[in-house]
């Protein structure tokens, strides 16, 4: 089991993977029922890349924020 910094990195990677899949899947679920065109696949891929960067980066920043030493 990952502990310490390894656990923080693992959480960021898991969040990035989920952030990669969810936006594209959500977009493709909402497109027309007559099939998915090549353009719609490209748009879904762009959503996936952007979602992965935002979610993974946010989790990484949250997990690695500076700890305050003030009381």
């Amino acid at each position: 089991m990952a502990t310490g910094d390894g656990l923080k990195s693992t959480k960021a990677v898991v969040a990035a993977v989920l952030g990669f899949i969810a936006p594209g899947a959500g977009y493709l679920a909402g497109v027309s029922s007559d099939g998915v065109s090549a353009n719609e696949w490209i748009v879904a891929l762009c959503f996936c890349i952007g979602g992965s960067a935002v979610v993974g980066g946010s989790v990484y920043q949250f997990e690695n924020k500076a700890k305050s030493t003030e009381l």
Side-chain angles (χ1 to χ4, degrees), residues 7-27:
L7 181 59
K8 292 177 184 178
S9 297
T10 303
K11 286 181 183 178
V13 169
V14 169
V17 169
L18 293 176
F20 182 80
I21 296 170
Y27 173 75

Side-chain angles (χ1 to χ4, degrees), residues 39-65:
N39 189 38
E40 291 168 340
W41 280 109
I42 292 170
V43 171
L45 180 63
C46 290
F47 279 133
C48 289
I49 292 169
S52 177
V54 169
V55 172
S58 297
V59 169
Y60 181 81
Q61 286 290 55
F62 180 78
E63 291 292 328
N64 294 300
K65 64 183 174 185

